[in-house]
Amino acid sequence: MAANYTQRINKINWSEVLNYLLKKWYLLLLALLAGGSIGYWAASMATRKYSAVFSFVLSTDSRSNSNLAGLASQLGFDAITSGPDNIFSGDNIIELFKSRKLIAAALQSVIDSPGNKTLLAYIAERQFGEAYHTVGAFKGPPTTFSPKQRFLRRRIISYVASSFTIFRKDKKLVIYTIKSTNTDPEIAYYVTKYMLTETAQYFIATKTETALMGVKLLGREADSLSQLLSNTYSATATNNDRTFNLNPSVSIQRSRSMFNQSKVMAYSAAYTEVMRNLEIAKINLLKESPLYRIIDEPELPLLPDPRSKLKSMAFAGGISIMVMVASLAAFFIFFKKDTL
């Protein structure tokens, strides 16, 4: 039987098959109309989806200069600042948005201040209603969740990770776009908003960590020297009061005041240098702070995404015609040809 079918296929005259298909044009037209109708119906009955799109600027340019490098070397941070801006360059920011750690942190954002409801509880209640009522409300930090709650939380993290995309239209631009699509417009909006907020905060904190450490260290040194200067000035004044109108031929008692004056000069010089470096460090901290601005953001209520009924009709109609062509060709080859 299989050998007979193989022989038939090898002896096919495709021109005869084509002529037969052309004679059955009305069946092909009927298949096209039926497929198009099914596609139109499917597009009309499909669940409406909503998209929240934020466009923003997140500059990754390294703007450090020689002053920062010299200051970092003095503070012992040169190994950190000497390398290029590699972890946040190029498309690494896009990968940062996909981090499960940042998604989990964004889910802990409070979206309902009076009710103190987190985004995690909001999504669980709306999209995982049955499981959410089974495991109970999410209260407290994630470390206090029960095993079932932690399992549901992991499901929601995966759900959120697959619901948004982050991209930039041109590799030369620093303008990024984050888009979240969901059947629930509020979930689409909140996911996009808090993912952007959490990632931007993490990015800025990481980029400015070294410069901020320098500012804090110099600030503590300045406060310490200021206290030493104040104490030394007080001690000098006290000794001067004690030796007022002292006999000029007896100067041993003035030695303490003279020593304190030399300490004041040394502390003053050190304090001046630290304050100068502190101001430089503050300026460099501003230079190291990334540029972050939201350009465009959606507003609630979101409008539903437009339904492409034409594409659905064309796709379903094409599939119907291919099925009809294959069916008619098979019928002609294996059955109809014997009767001709």
Side-chain angles (χ1 to χ4, degrees):
M1 181 70 68
N4 292 335
Y5 285 149
T6 303
Q7 292 177 359
R8 282 175 176 268
I9 293 175
N10 292 334
K11 295 180 180 180
I12 292 176
N13 187 339
W14 291 106
S15 60
E16 294 181 0
V17 176
L18 180 59
N19 291 331
Y20 178 75
L21 292 177
L22 292 176
K23 292 179 180 179
K24 301 297 182 181
W25 62 269
Y26 55 91
L27 293 178
L28 298 178
L29 180 60
L30 181 62
L32 177 63
L33 295 176
S37 300
I38 293 174
Y40 182 86
W41 175 82
S44 301
M45 297 301 295
T47 304
R48 302 304 298 267
K49 291 187 177 181
Y50 302 82
S51 295
V53 181
F54 282 76
S55 61
F56 61 97
V57 173
L58 193 57
S59 174
T60 61
D61 293 338
S62 178
R63 289 169 285 177
S64 61
N65 52 29
S66 58
N67 290 333
L68 178 61
L71 179 61
S73 178
Q74 295 177 19
L75 298 175
F77 300 135
D78 54 324
I80 301 177
T81 59
S82 59
D85 183 21
N86 52 4
I87 62 172
F88 290 128
S89 60
D91 291 337
N92 288 345
I93 287 183
I94 295 177
E95 295 300 320
L96 184 65
F97 272 88
K98 299 177 182 179
S99 167
R100 294 180 64 86
K101 175 182 178 180
L102 294 181
I103 294 175
L107 288 174
Q108 293 303 120
S109 302
V110 176
I111 64 173
D112 182 10
S113 297
N116 202 30
K117 180 180 290 186
T118 63
L119 180 58
L120 175 66
Y122 190 81
I123 295 176
E125 185 176 1
R126 293 208 173 194
Q127 298 291 337
F128 300 84
E130 184 177 349
Y132 178 66
H133 293 303
T134 300
V135 303
F138 294 102
K139 295 182 179 180
T143 53
T144 63
F145 291 172
S146 66
K148 291 183 178 180
Q149 288 178 326
R150 289 196 295 269
F151 178 75
L152 179 57
R153 177 172 173 267
R154 288 195 297 268
R155 287 179 59 192
I156 295 175
I157 290 175
S158 299
Y159 170 79
V160 171
S162 62
S163 69
F164 73 90
T165 56
I166 172 75
F167 59 92
R168 53 179 177 171
K169 296 181 180 179
D170 194 320
K171 299 294 183 181
K172 298 180 181 179
L173 300 179
V174 293
I175 300 178
Y176 293 81
T177 300
I178 180 172
K179 176 181 179 181
S180 178
T181 302
N182 202 287
T183 55
D184 188 315
E186 294 186 356
I187 290 180
Y189 176 80
Y190 288 134
V191 165
T192 312
K193 176 181 177 180
Y194 289 108
M195 276 304 306
L196 177 56
T197 300
E198 189 66 32
T199 306
Q201 290 177 352
Y202 179 84
F203 174 80
I204 293 172
T206 305
K207 283 276 291 181
T208 59
E209 182 178 4
T210 300
L212 185 59
M213 287 172 60
V215 170
K216 289 181 178 180
L217 178 59
L218 286 171
R220 288 195 295 267
E221 289 295 326
D223 292 341
S224 177
L225 286 172
S226 176
Q227 186 63 38
L228 285 174
L229 270 174
S230 178
N231 294 339
T232 305
Y233 273 121
S234 298
T236 302
T238 300
N239 287 327
N240 289 338
D241 291 342
R242 290 175 181 174
T243 58
F244 182 71
N245 286 332
L246 185 67
N247 188 340
S249 62
V250 183
S251 59
I252 186 64
Q253 294 186 23
R254 292 193 179 92
S255 61
R256 187 66 181 174
S257 295
M258 296 171 63
F259 179 68
N260 285 340
Q261 289 175 0
S262 64
K263 288 170 64 176
V264 166
M265 294 177 61
Y267 289 154
S268 297
Y271 183 72
T272 300
E273 185 66 18
V274 169
M275 288 301 297
R276 183 179 70 85
N277 285 334
L278 178 59
E279 293 305 314
I280 293 175
K282 289 180 179 179
I283 294 174
N284 285 322
L285 176 59
L286 293 177
K287 291 181 178 180
E288 284 295 296
S289 300
L291 173 63
Y292 168 60
R293 289 291 185 275
I294 294 178
I295 301 175
D296 290 315
E297 60 180 300
E299 295 181 356
L300 289 175
L302 299 178
L303 297 177
D305 294 344
R307 293 171 173 172
S308 182
K309 295 180 180 179
L310 183 61
K311 289 183 179 180
S312 180
M313 291 171 62
F315 177 77
I319 294 295
S320 299
I321 287 181
M322 287 190 292
V323 171
M324 180 60 71
V325 166
S327 300
L328 290 174
F331 176 77
F332 176 79
I333 292 171
F334 297 111
F335 301 101
K336 184 68 175 177
K337 196 171 186 303
D338 293 337
T339 63
L340 295 179

